[in-house]
Amino acid sequence: MNKSENINYELEKNAEVISQLDDFVTKTVGTTLMDPDDCWQPTDFLPDMSQPDALDQVKLLRERAAGIPDTIITSLVGNMITEEALPSYQTYFNMLEGINDEGSLTSERGWVKWTKAWTAEENRHGDLLNKYLYLSGRADMRKVEQTIHRLIYNGFDPRSEKDPYQAIIYTSFQERATKISHVNTGKLADKAGDLVLGKICKQIAGDEARHEKAYKSFMTEIFQIDPNGAMLAFEKMMRKQIVMPAVLMGEGGKNPSLFDQFSAITQKVGIYTGWDYARIIDHLVKLWDVEKVTGLNDVAAKAQEYLAGLAARYSRLADRMKTPDEISLAWQK
């Protein structure tokens, strides 16, 4: 076989476009992400254990948390576990074509700066929710820790095939999904009387919204430079469906259906549903003006046609989806 036959020219072209965006990404790091000295930190929302009344503060936290339904606690744990698997996410992004060709985490390239600064911000989310749950006494923290361990142990595969275009489609979708999940969890925490937890969830959702906006802007640039490639990547990612980052949390363990249990609860209580999935597709199709892109080649035009009708198709599926009658709580004492 000729060596040239092994070359993935589509991937090479995508990596080249990604390299062209390096200055744009550097600018986005400066305008969208925060300096560590200016960021909120987990301790801003938690009892100050250095104070004489620290145990009184913990007691108040536990009293507030006592009124939260078990389903919401389970959803909160699932959200937190997703946030805690950051080593996998940073590794994944640096393995994409055109992102970190030097193989150096101290590189001055815009994309490398982005992956570090983005995951550094995300790291606070898991830290905050983990400490809150530990202090609340509402979860079996050893089981929670085992699940985090297993998820990182198992890794992460969004099936983007080292393609940076597909990866940016994935993160645009996933950051929005995570934002929705945290917003809805916060609303339910408020309803249950824990306004501090409500504020925590909204603060995390605010970070996710900034990250979502950045990833969507990266993809907007790609659509302008390479509309055919962008359209094909969007179609490929949607045909494979967006798998949640924590999908492997139970794989190989005593409860391999753990992620399905978590998903059933978020569907039942309205934290993240099939309708949300459909609405995110609709949002991205409209944001990137998918239906209005002209001058596409035949393959990309077929991808465009598929994407144009996708949100409506998923909305119909969501309408037919039955709310789970029986749900199994996880990570409970």
Side-chain angles (χ1 to χ4, degrees):
M1 182 180 284
N2 212 327
K3 189 179 178 183
S4 64
E5 290 176 28
N6 291 320
I7 298 171
N8 185 332
Y9 291 106
E10 180 75 11
L11 195 56
E12 278 200 352
K13 179 262 296 172
N14 293 0
E16 176 58 37
V17 171
I18 285 294
S19 297
Q20 291 174 34
L21 292 180
D22 211 68
D23 289 342
F24 179 81
V25 175
T26 299
K27 192 180 295 182
T28 305
V29 172
T31 57
T32 303
L33 302 182
M34 307 279 286
D35 184 276
D37 290 339
D38 302 325
C39 257
W40 65 264
Q41 296 298 337
T43 47
D44 298 339
F45 299 89
L46 296 166
D48 185 346
M49 302 309 288
S50 68
Q51 296 301 311
D53 68 341
L55 294 181
D56 293 331
Q57 293 180 44
V58 172
K59 187 181 176 186
L60 284 172
L61 184 153
R62 290 170 74 94
E63 286 171 0
R64 289 193 308 267
I68 301 173
D70 290 338
T71 49
I72 309 307
I73 292 294
T74 300
S75 298
L76 189 67
V77 172
N79 289 349
M80 181 269 284
I81 288 167
T82 304
E83 299 280 6
E84 290 279 41
L86 277 173
S88 297
Y89 310 148
Q90 191 181 72
T91 302
Y92 157 72
F93 215 83
N94 276 281
M95 288 169 64
L96 297 167
E97 291 292 333
I99 296 294
N100 189 354
D101 294 335
E102 299 165 38
S104 169
L105 285 178
T106 57
S107 168
E108 287 300 305
R109 284 201 59 194
W111 283 109
V112 180
K113 285 181 178 178
W114 169 266
T115 59
K116 291 184 293 184
W118 164 57
T119 50
E121 286 198 0
E122 292 277 353
N123 185 60
R124 298 165 305 141
H125 303 168
D127 284 353
L128 175 52
L129 294 176
N130 197 320
K131 287 169 183 169
Y132 171 88
L133 284 160
Y134 175 77
L135 292 171
S136 76
R138 291 296 310 279
D140 184 331
M141 291 307 292
R142 192 166 200 284
K143 286 182 180 174
V144 170
E145 288 158 357
Q146 285 174 325
T147 308
I148 295 167
H149 190 158
R150 186 161 294 283
L151 178 57
I152 298 171
Y153 178 95
N154 284 338
F156 167 64
D157 180 17
R159 299 176 295 180
S160 56
E161 305 163 25
K162 293 187 76 175
D163 179 4
Y165 285 16
Q166 291 185 62
I168 294 167
I169 295 285
Y170 178 85
T171 44
S172 297
F173 190 107
Q174 187 54 46
E175 292 286 347
R176 190 170 182 84
T178 308
K179 177 189 73 177
I180 289 166
S181 187
H182 284 301
V183 166
N184 289 335
T185 304
K187 287 177 182 176
L188 291 168
D190 284 344
K191 192 176 175 183
D194 191 340
L195 301 182
V196 176
L197 178 57
K199 187 177 179 183
I200 286 170
C201 293
K202 287 165 201 159
Q203 190 75 43
I204 292 171
D207 281 1
E208 305 294 5
R210 284 188 293 110
H211 303 161
E212 173 202 348
K213 184 178 178 183
Y215 278 114
K216 291 189 304 191
S217 74
F218 300 157
M219 204 63 216
T220 297
E221 293 295 309
I222 293 168
F223 262 102
Q224 289 172 358
I225 298 167
D226 180 18
N228 286 308
M231 197 71 73
L232 287 173
F234 195 3
E235 181 212 20
K236 283 178 188 174
M237 210 65 241
M238 291 299 103
R239 284 194 186 277
K240 285 178 278 198
Q241 298 188 331
I242 299 291
V243 294
M244 296 298 111
V247 70
L248 297 178
M249 62 165 64
E251 198 78 20
K254 292 176 183 175
N255 183 4
S257 63
L258 190 54
F259 180 79
D260 293 334
Q261 286 175 228
F262 164 55
S263 297
I265 289 170
T266 61
Q267 175 78 22
K268 189 173 182 69
V269 299
I271 284 174
Y272 184 73
T273 68
W275 288 289
D276 291 316
Y277 191 97
R279 283 192 287 262
I280 294 171
I281 295 171
D282 185 58
H283 170 77
L284 295 177
V285 166
K286 286 175 178 170
L287 177 78
W288 294 322
D289 280 334
V290 164
E291 295 181 60
K292 296 177 184 173
V293 178
T294 57
L296 296 171
N297 62 34
D298 290 347
V299 181
K302 285 178 182 174
Q304 180 184 44
E305 187 180 347
Y306 168 78
L307 291 165
L310 197 59
R313 181 178 152 205
Y314 273 101
S315 290
R316 291 192 295 272
L317 285 171
D319 288 339
R320 293 198 297 269
M321 193 183 294
K322 276 187 69 178
T323 303
D325 295 323
E326 296 294 323
I327 51 171
S328 301
L329 295 169
W331 308 297
Q332 301 288 311
K333 279 285 186 187

PDB file of all heavy atoms in Angstrom, residues 64 68 186-187 189-202:
ATOM      1  N   ARG A  64     -29.797  22.791  56.250  1.00  0.00           N
ATOM      2  CA  ARG A  64     -30.344  23.178  54.942  1.00  0.00           C
ATOM      3  C   ARG A  64     -30.410  21.972  54.015  1.00  0.00           C
ATOM      4  O   ARG A  64     -31.386  21.759  53.308  1.00  0.00           O
ATOM      5  CB  ARG A  64     -29.487  24.270  54.299  1.00  0.00           C
ATOM      6  CG  ARG A  64     -29.560  25.629  54.945  1.00  0.00           C
ATOM      7  CD  ARG A  64     -28.938  26.697  54.047  1.00  0.00           C
ATOM      8  NE  ARG A  64     -27.589  26.343  53.610  1.00  0.00           N
ATOM      9  CZ  ARG A  64     -26.486  26.703  54.245  1.00  0.00           C
ATOM     10  NH1 ARG A  64     -26.561  27.436  55.344  1.00  0.00           N
ATOM     11  NH2 ARG A  64     -25.296  26.360  53.775  1.00  0.00           N
ATOM     12  N   ILE A  68     -33.348  18.433  51.201  1.00  0.00           N
ATOM     13  CA  ILE A  68     -33.227  18.194  49.759  1.00  0.00           C
ATOM     14  C   ILE A  68     -33.613  16.749  49.453  1.00  0.00           C
ATOM     15  O   ILE A  68     -33.106  15.823  50.080  1.00  0.00           O
ATOM     16  CB  ILE A  68     -31.784  18.461  49.276  1.00  0.00           C
ATOM     17  CG1 ILE A  68     -31.396  19.914  49.576  1.00  0.00           C
ATOM     18  CG2 ILE A  68     -31.641  18.176  47.788  1.00  0.00           C
ATOM     19  CD1 ILE A  68     -29.954  20.228  49.285  1.00  0.00           C
ATOM     20  N   GLY A 186     -29.899  23.793  40.590  1.00  0.00           N
ATOM     21  CA  GLY A 186     -29.972  24.964  41.467  1.00  0.00           C
ATOM     22  C   GLY A 186     -31.400  25.394  41.759  1.00  0.00           C
ATOM     23  O   GLY A 186     -31.737  25.743  42.896  1.00  0.00           O
ATOM     24  N   LYS A 187     -32.245  25.363  40.745  1.00  0.00           N
ATOM     25  CA  LYS A 187     -33.662  25.732  40.944  1.00  0.00           C
ATOM     26  C   LYS A 187     -34.334  24.774  41.928  1.00  0.00           C
ATOM     27  O   LYS A 187     -35.114  25.196  42.795  1.00  0.00           O
ATOM     28  CB  LYS A 187     -34.403  25.700  39.600  1.00  0.00           C
ATOM     29  CG  LYS A 187     -34.059  26.850  38.670  1.00  0.00           C
ATOM     30  CD  LYS A 187     -34.778  26.688  37.333  1.00  0.00           C
ATOM     31  CE  LYS A 187     -34.407  27.797  36.359  1.00  0.00           C
ATOM     32  NZ  LYS A 187     -35.031  27.578  35.029  1.00  0.00           N
ATOM     33  N   ALA A 189     -32.801  22.996  44.232  1.00  0.00           N
ATOM     34  CA  ALA A 189     -32.211  23.234  45.562  1.00  0.00           C
ATOM     35  C   ALA A 189     -32.892  24.424  46.229  1.00  0.00           C
ATOM     36  O   ALA A 189     -33.218  24.378  47.423  1.00  0.00           O
ATOM     37  CB  ALA A 189     -30.707  23.471  45.434  1.00  0.00           C
ATOM     38  N   ASP A 190     -33.125  25.497  45.461  1.00  0.00           N
ATOM     39  CA  ASP A 190     -33.858  26.664  45.989  1.00  0.00           C
ATOM     40  C   ASP A 190     -35.238  26.256  46.479  1.00  0.00           C
ATOM     41  O   ASP A 190     -35.680  26.654  47.570  1.00  0.00           O
ATOM     42  CB  ASP A 190     -34.003  27.736  44.903  1.00  0.00           C
ATOM     43  CG  ASP A 190     -32.722  28.512  44.649  1.00  0.00           C
ATOM     44  OD1 ASP A 190     -31.801  28.446  45.496  1.00  0.00           O
ATOM     45  OD2 ASP A 190     -32.634  29.185  43.600  1.00  0.00           O
ATOM     46  N   LYS A 191     -35.920  25.473  45.672  1.00  0.00           N
ATOM     47  CA  LYS A 191     -37.275  25.021  46.004  1.00  0.00           C
ATOM     48  C   LYS A 191     -37.289  24.194  47.291  1.00  0.00           C
ATOM     49  O   LYS A 191     -38.236  24.257  48.082  1.00  0.00           O
ATOM     50  CB  LYS A 191     -37.831  24.193  44.837  1.00  0.00           C
ATOM     51  CG  LYS A 191     -39.310  23.895  44.918  1.00  0.00           C
ATOM     52  CD  LYS A 191     -39.779  23.150  43.674  1.00  0.00           C
ATOM     53  CE  LYS A 191     -41.244  22.749  43.810  1.00  0.00           C
ATOM     54  NZ  LYS A 191     -41.692  21.964  42.626  1.00  0.00           N
ATOM     55  N   ALA A 192     -36.198  23.430  47.507  1.00  0.00           N
ATOM     56  CA  ALA A 192     -36.097  22.589  48.706  1.00  0.00           C
ATOM     57  C   ALA A 192     -35.623  23.379  49.923  1.00  0.00           C
ATOM     58  O   ALA A 192     -35.542  22.828  51.023  1.00  0.00           O
ATOM     59  CB  ALA A 192     -35.150  21.423  48.442  1.00  0.00           C
ATOM     60  N   GLY A 193     -35.298  24.655  49.729  1.00  0.00           N
ATOM     61  CA  GLY A 193     -34.945  25.516  50.863  1.00  0.00           C
ATOM     62  C   GLY A 193     -33.456  25.715  51.081  1.00  0.00           C
ATOM     63  O   GLY A 193     -33.068  26.386  52.039  1.00  0.00           O
ATOM     64  N   ASP A 194     -32.598  25.170  50.217  1.00  0.00           N
ATOM     65  CA  ASP A 194     -31.152  25.366  50.376  1.00  0.00           C
ATOM     66  C   ASP A 194     -30.689  26.415  49.364  1.00  0.00           C
ATOM     67  O   ASP A 194     -30.239  26.090  48.259  1.00  0.00           O
ATOM     68  CB  ASP A 194     -30.394  24.052  50.187  1.00  0.00           C
ATOM     69  CG  ASP A 194     -28.928  24.163  50.614  1.00  0.00           C
ATOM     70  OD1 ASP A 194     -28.418  25.293  50.692  1.00  0.00           O
ATOM     71  OD2 ASP A 194     -28.303  23.112  50.879  1.00  0.00           O
ATOM     72  N   LEU A 195     -30.802  27.661  49.763  1.00  0.00           N
ATOM     73  CA  LEU A 195     -30.479  28.760  48.853  1.00  0.00           C
ATOM     74  C   LEU A 195     -28.981  28.855  48.578  1.00  0.00           C
ATOM     75  O   LEU A 195     -28.571  29.350  47.525  1.00  0.00           O
ATOM     76  CB  LEU A 195     -30.999  30.086  49.419  1.00  0.00           C
ATOM     77  CG  LEU A 195     -32.515  30.160  49.666  1.00  0.00           C
ATOM     78  CD1 LEU A 195     -32.909  31.536  50.175  1.00  0.00           C
ATOM     79  CD2 LEU A 195     -33.304  29.816  48.399  1.00  0.00           C
ATOM     80  N   VAL A 196     -28.162  28.389  49.535  1.00  0.00           N
ATOM     81  CA  VAL A 196     -26.709  28.409  49.313  1.00  0.00           C
ATOM     82  C   VAL A 196     -26.337  27.418  48.210  1.00  0.00           C
ATOM     83  O   VAL A 196     -25.566  27.736  47.304  1.00  0.00           O
ATOM     84  CB  VAL A 196     -25.942  28.101  50.611  1.00  0.00           C
ATOM     85  CG1 VAL A 196     -24.434  28.024  50.330  1.00  0.00           C
ATOM     86  CG2 VAL A 196     -26.216  29.171  51.667  1.00  0.00           C
ATOM     87  N   LEU A 197     -26.902  26.205  48.274  1.00  0.00           N
ATOM     88  CA  LEU A 197     -26.637  25.232  47.202  1.00  0.00           C
ATOM     89  C   LEU A 197     -27.163  25.761  45.872  1.00  0.00           C
ATOM     90  O   LEU A 197     -26.520  25.589  44.825  1.00  0.00           O
ATOM     91  CB  LEU A 197     -27.280  23.882  47.527  1.00  0.00           C
ATOM     92  CG  LEU A 197     -27.110  22.802  46.450  1.00  0.00           C
ATOM     93  CD1 LEU A 197     -25.639  22.541  46.142  1.00  0.00           C
ATOM     94  CD2 LEU A 197     -27.804  21.507  46.857  1.00  0.00           C
ATOM     95  N   GLY A 198     -28.329  26.422  45.911  1.00  0.00           N
ATOM     96  CA  GLY A 198     -28.863  27.028  44.690  1.00  0.00           C
ATOM     97  C   GLY A 198     -27.880  28.014  44.084  1.00  0.00           C
ATOM     98  O   GLY A 198     -27.632  28.027  42.869  1.00  0.00           O
ATOM     99  N   LYS A 199     -27.264  28.831  44.949  1.00  0.00           N
ATOM    100  CA  LYS A 199     -26.285  29.822  44.491  1.00  0.00           C
ATOM    101  C   LYS A 199     -25.035  29.140  43.936  1.00  0.00           C
ATOM    102  O   LYS A 199     -24.473  29.565  42.920  1.00  0.00           O
ATOM    103  CB  LYS A 199     -25.907  30.742  45.661  1.00  0.00           C
ATOM    104  CG  LYS A 199     -25.028  31.913  45.268  1.00  0.00           C
ATOM    105  CD  LYS A 199     -24.751  32.809  46.471  1.00  0.00           C
ATOM    106  CE  LYS A 199     -23.848  33.985  46.065  1.00  0.00           C
ATOM    107  NZ  LYS A 199     -23.511  34.836  47.225  1.00  0.00           N
ATOM    108  N   ILE A 200     -24.600  28.051  44.596  1.00  0.00           N
ATOM    109  CA  ILE A 200     -23.430  27.287  44.133  1.00  0.00           C
ATOM    110  C   ILE A 200     -23.666  26.775  42.710  1.00  0.00           C
ATOM    111  O   ILE A 200     -22.816  26.941  41.822  1.00  0.00           O
ATOM    112  CB  ILE A 200     -23.148  26.106  45.092  1.00  0.00           C
ATOM    113  CG1 ILE A 200     -22.529  26.611  46.394  1.00  0.00           C
ATOM    114  CG2 ILE A 200     -22.236  25.067  44.434  1.00  0.00           C
ATOM    115  CD1 ILE A 200     -22.438  25.561  47.497  1.00  0.00           C
ATOM    116  N   CYS A 201     -24.829  26.162  42.503  1.00  0.00           N
ATOM    117  CA  CYS A 201     -25.133  25.593  41.179  1.00  0.00           C
ATOM    118  C   CYS A 201     -25.197  26.675  40.112  1.00  0.00           C
ATOM    119  O   CYS A 201     -24.714  26.475  38.980  1.00  0.00           O
ATOM    120  CB  CYS A 201     -26.452  24.818  41.234  1.00  0.00           C
ATOM    121  SG  CYS A 201     -26.383  23.331  42.246  1.00  0.00           S
ATOM    122  N   LYS A 202     -25.757  27.825  40.468  1.00  0.00           N
ATOM    123  CA  LYS A 202     -25.852  28.924  39.488  1.00  0.00           C
ATOM    124  C   LYS A 202     -24.474  29.501  39.181  1.00  0.00           C
ATOM    125  O   LYS A 202     -24.199  29.912  38.046  1.00  0.00           O
ATOM    126  CB  LYS A 202     -26.788  30.005  40.020  1.00  0.00           C
ATOM    127  CG  LYS A 202     -28.262  29.590  39.982  1.00  0.00           C
ATOM    128  CD  LYS A 202     -29.124  30.503  40.844  1.00  0.00           C
ATOM    129  CE  LYS A 202     -30.425  29.798  41.205  1.00  0.00           C
ATOM    130  NZ  LYS A 202     -31.071  30.377  42.391  1.00  0.00           N
TER     131      LYS A 202
END
